Amino acid sequence: MCGIVGYLGEQEACAILLHGLRELEYRGYDSAGVALLEASGLRCFKAVGKLDNLAAKLGDTASSGKVAAIGHTRWATHGKPTEANAHPHGLTHSQVVHNGIIENYVALRASVATAFLSQTDSEVIVHLFEKHLAAQPPAADTALAAFRATLDALHGAYAILLISETAPGQIFFARQGSPLQFGLGAEGCFFASSDAPLIGHCAQAVYLQDGHWGVAEATGVRLFDAEGAAVLPQPAALPATSLAARKEGYRYFMEKEIYEQPQVLTDILTGRLAADCLSLDELAPEWLRPLRSITLCACGTSYHAALVGSYLLERLAQVPTKVEIASEFRYREPVLDRDGLFVVLSQSGETADTLEAIKLAKAQGLATLALCNVDNSSIVREADHRLLLRAGIEKGVASTKAFSAQVLTLWLLALYWGQAKAVLSGERLAQELAALRQAPSVMQVQPGVHERLHRLSKRYLHGHGFFFIGRDLFYPLALEGALKLKEISYLHAEGYPAGEMKHGPIALADAQLFTIALMARSCLYDKIKSNVEELSARDATIIAITTEYFELADDIIQIRAYDHPMLEFFEMLVVVQLLAMEIAIRLGNDVDMPRNLAKSVTVE
Ligand code: M6R
């Protein structure tokens, strides 16, 4: 998602910042900007689109002498990708860059008298800073005190760099829930939201902890904790190359993206959950209420998320829901409910079949909504309304974090709709909110489980096929598990509803048929148990993913017990993703770029 860089020193800062921002390009962005604070004053440059546009704006601009400089790549969440919404955001004598979400920005905006130039949550930070600065009696650390007072008012997640003409030669910084680090090199002090921009400038970095804040200046860095006590910086060695740094220690982008899922889920929930209700600012309840049905339409992994959504929407919002594969939908002359909502799901926003499907639905007069990870993509531009997924750029061709983001967003949508229609009891809503809050921690990869999957994977590199089976919500998860495995291992795998096996596929059962059984304790456990017993009786090899001991399993992958099926779902999702990845790695395949596949399928 967004990227941050900063530099304090005497080298030419534009080149340093642009280089740093280019190192963060892989994260995805739709606008960029830099601000330079020199003896002559403060200058700011911003551009929509690629960094080349920013470089063109900068032209032959170069900093001279001592400089405090900050830069940012923005991936739109609040407000469109425009120059006004790009960072840095400034007021009269200060500029700020911010990653994260300021949850209480609406209330904070109302608390300052100044006018706003952008639609972002971030701009309020610089307004607050200047307000507190004006209220401080002049003293040596006035700006530092104003910065601290600003942080005290913020709720949400942030990594912040701020510079001000009132504090030449200083960069103020803070971290709460969004990564930020700094390194001291021969040429000065360097900041970044991940390792890559620091490599080549510093040998070590100080990784800020949540609540850490402070100021960088010519004499060094003063670092404080949330209570204001001084903290001794603890530097750690940086990776040797920036490619390794981009993978942040993981072997593949896919692995990194699997491990990022708790943060993605946290980002999706940020600002949307209150004590006894939830909000989706993007969709007005009065817009949703009259809609009589939903059609969800997508391809591949996004289609599997749509299937999960159909269970949730019917159960929680009591809206009749259909799911369509986009490539089939286009040509089958569908009869659509003109009083219904047509929802497309897409990670990339550029999938040709899905794009054509939404055009068709629009042409027939249906209200349209896009659940998409890329703002300003073709599908987002086509839709009447959008819910952005907040998953950050996904590099692995095999989709992982975009899927969990789609599922969580559909769960939120189902609950929000149910709340709008008042079909959920207070008790049920409270249970759902509690489960939602728990979801990010459930997706945290447990080292023991990953290690077990790594060891187990060596037994499953052959055979004549895999069947992933599940019931209810776990049937689409079975489909997704099978798709992940076939995409990157090139082994034959199918997802099947467990109850359907006896209607045909059970004929394949023998010791070389590997059955991955998704045996959720919280959802039809006894039903799937008897389905698995039928397969075991025919000598199929059973790998059970379950909370229970199951004597017929050849291998058990034990998961933690939850009383909400969605929590079991998210925990099992991590297991099937990692299992596919470990098998593919053992087979020597390129996990991030599997053969024959493209990340974005822009042809039909
Ligand atoms: O970008 P989209 O979500 O529209 O892409 C749809 C499919 O092409 C995509 O999910 C594909 O199946 C992935 N390779 C799954 O890992």
Side-chain angles (χ1 to χ4, degrees):
M1 286 171 105
C2 305
I4 283 185
V5 293
Y7 171 64
L8 184 80
E10 297 186 33
Q11 302 296 308
E12 200 290 292
C14 297
I16 290 173
L17 292 187
L18 272 177
H19 169 78
L21 292 175
R22 285 195 198 285
E23 290 290 340
L24 297 176
E25 258 190 318
Y26 73 98
R27 294 184 157 267
Y29 65 103
D30 38 47
S31 59
V34 297
L36 311 170
L37 175 62
E38 301 154 284
S40 53
L42 200 46
R43 293 187 281 171
C44 183
F45 304 83
K46 307 203 258 192
V48 172
K50 293 291 162 202
L51 283 169
D52 287 344
N53 301 346
L54 179 63
K57 273 260 174 91
L58 281 162
D60 52 12
T61 305
S63 67
S64 66
K66 291 184 179 151
V67 61
I70 56 178
H72 191 267
T73 45
R74 175 175 186 259
W75 196 74
T77 54
H78 290 63
K80 291 184 185 310
T82 61
E83 210 168 293
N85 287 336
H87 299 218
H89 293 289
L91 194 54
T92 57
H93 51 69
S94 317
Q95 294 278 343
V96 72
V97 291
H98 163 233
N99 283 357
I101 296 175
I102 305 300
E103 288 177 20
N104 58 336
Y105 80 101
V106 176
L108 291 176
R109 273 180 173 230
S111 75
V112 295
T114 34
F116 286 80
L117 299 174
S118 78
Q119 301 160 294
T120 65
D121 54 327
S122 310
E123 190 188 347
V124 76
I125 300 167
V126 73
H127 289 246
L128 281 178
F129 172 76
E130 294 204 2
K131 178 183 155 187
H132 287 300
L133 195 60
Q136 297 283 334
D141 266 336
T142 308
L144 189 64
F147 185 64
R148 169 71 202 247
T150 303
L151 299 179
D152 286 344
L154 305 180
H155 296 169
Y158 51 78
I160 295 172
L161 294 182
L162 184 145
I163 52 179
S164 173
E165 285 175 337
T166 61
Q170 293 186 316
I171 296 181
F172 302 97
F173 60 87
R175 174 201 158 125
Q176 179 64 50
S178 289
L180 186 64
Q181 58 228 49
F182 70 85
L184 296 170
E187 296 166 341
C189 180
F190 297 81
F191 285 91
S193 49
S194 68
D195 287 340
L198 303 184
I199 291 168
H201 295 297
C202 330
Q204 295 183 312
V206 175
Y207 296 87
L208 300 182
Q209 306 295 310
D210 281 347
H212 280 182
W213 62 285
V215 58
E217 50 209 351
T219 50
V221 173
R222 282 185 280 159
L223 180 61
F224 306 99
D225 66 15
E227 278 69 52
V231 173
L232 191 64
Q234 304 285 346
L238 280 165
T241 67
S242 62
L243 180 65
R246 286 179 206 174
K247 291 188 187 156
E248 291 168 14
Y250 297 104
R251 295 165 291 174
Y252 294 95
F253 281 109
M254 180 184 178
E255 186 176 35
K256 173 172 170 281
E257 286 156 8
I258 292 170
Y259 274 76
E260 277 173 357
Q261 292 177 114
Q263 185 60 49
V264 169
L265 267 53
T266 301
D267 289 344
I268 293 169
L269 296 178
T270 301
R272 287 171 165 166
L273 302 189
D276 55 359
C277 64
L278 74 159
S279 59
L280 279 180
D281 292 346
E282 296 88 336
L283 305 175
E286 45 287 359
W287 180 74
L288 282 178
R289 245 179 248 123
L291 295 165
R292 284 211 319 230
S293 67
I294 310 175
T295 303
L296 300 164
C297 185
C299 300
T301 285
S302 297
Y303 168 72
H304 298 156
L307 286 172
V308 179
S310 69
Y311 287 85
L312 296 171
L313 283 156
E314 293 208 325
R315 229 162 243 167
L316 299 170
Q318 296 178 16
V319 194
T321 306
K322 277 200 303 188
V323 187
E324 301 272 1
I325 291 183
S327 55
E328 285 298 310
F329 173 80
R330 287 177 66 178
Y331 297 109
R332 70 169 181 76
E333 299 172 31
V335 178
L336 297 174
D337 174 5
R338 278 160 210 267
D339 297 323
L341 174 64
F342 193 81
V343 182
V344 285
L345 293 98
S346 175
Q347 188 288 127
S348 62
E350 301 299 344
T351 301
D353 287 319
T354 314
L355 180 59
E356 289 311 311
I358 189 174
K359 287 182 182 163
L360 194 154
K362 257 182 100 171
Q364 294 206 19
L366 272 80
T368 55
L369 168 68
L371 261 67
C372 187
N373 201 30
V374 182
D375 195 8
N376 229 24
S377 58
S378 305
I379 285 174
V380 164
R381 278 185 273 120
E382 197 65 42
D384 302 322
H385 288 79
R386 76 226 41 201
L387 273 175
L388 294 177
L389 294 176
R390 302 184 179 175
I393 193 166
E394 189 176 64
K395 290 206 80 155
V397 165
S399 184
T400 52
K401 62 177 181 170
F403 176 73
S404 47
Q406 286 168 334
V407 170
L408 187 72
T409 307
L410 284 164
W411 186 10
L412 280 174
L413 176 64
L415 283 170
Y416 182 66
W417 204 323
Q419 180 182 271
K421 284 176 66 183
V423 293
L424 285 169
S425 69
E427 191 190 354
R428 178 71 190 267
L429 187 57
Q431 284 164 358
E432 296 291 323
L433 290 172
L436 275 172
R437 287 196 179 88
Q438 212 184 329
S441 63
V442 166
M443 291 215 84
Q444 202 81 47
V445 178
Q446 298 172 80
V449 171
H450 194 166
E451 176 53 28
R452 169 139 177 77
L453 291 166
H454 168 70
R455 284 191 293 111
L456 213 62
S457 58
K458 62 177 173 289
R459 295 192 212 158
Y460 298 105
L461 307 175
H462 61 292
H464 61 67
F466 288 77
F467 263 90
F468 286 70
I469 59 169
R471 299 193 69 135
D472 202 274
L473 290 162
F474 297 85
Y475 160 51
L477 182 57
L479 291 172
E480 177 57 10
L483 180 65
K484 284 294 84 81
L485 185 64
K486 71 182 113 181
E487 281 187 300
I488 59 176
S489 72
Y490 320 140
L491 296 170
H492 179 72
E494 279 189 59
Y496 229 76
E500 271 290 297
M501 290 296 282
K502 57 182 162 302
H503 298 289
I506 204 164
L508 295 170
D510 66 16
Q512 297 298 301
L513 181 77
F514 300 145
T515 303
I516 317 270
L518 309 179
M519 302 176 72
R521 176 80 252 174
S522 57
C523 183
L524 302 176
Y525 181 77
D526 292 336
K527 302 283 175 203
I528 188 162
K529 187 163 171 269
S530 50
N531 301 143
V532 177
E533 282 163 0
E534 289 153 13
L535 281 156
S536 170
R538 281 142 189 100
D539 216 18
T541 298
I542 309 292
I543 303 114
I545 307 178
T546 184
T547 55
E548 308 299 306
Y549 175 72
F550 180 53
E551 65 281 7
L552 297 179
D554 296 273
D555 277 311
I556 291 191
I557 301 157
Q558 193 126 24
I559 59 161
R560 293 167 291 189
Y562 303 99
D563 53 12
H564 196 292
M566 286 307 292
L567 298 180
E568 274 196 273
F569 179 99
F570 281 121
E571 179 137 345
M572 282 193 197
L573 172 59
V574 177
V575 171
V576 296
Q577 292 170 338
L578 288 172
L579 180 65
M581 188 188 76
E582 289 298 335
I583 290 176
I585 293 173
R586 280 199 193 266
L587 291 169
N589 298 343
D590 185 340
V591 165
D592 284 334
M593 276 181 279
R595 70 183 186 202
N596 306 339
L597 298 180
K599 184 67 187 157
S600 174
V601 184
T602 53
V603 290
E604 71 166 306

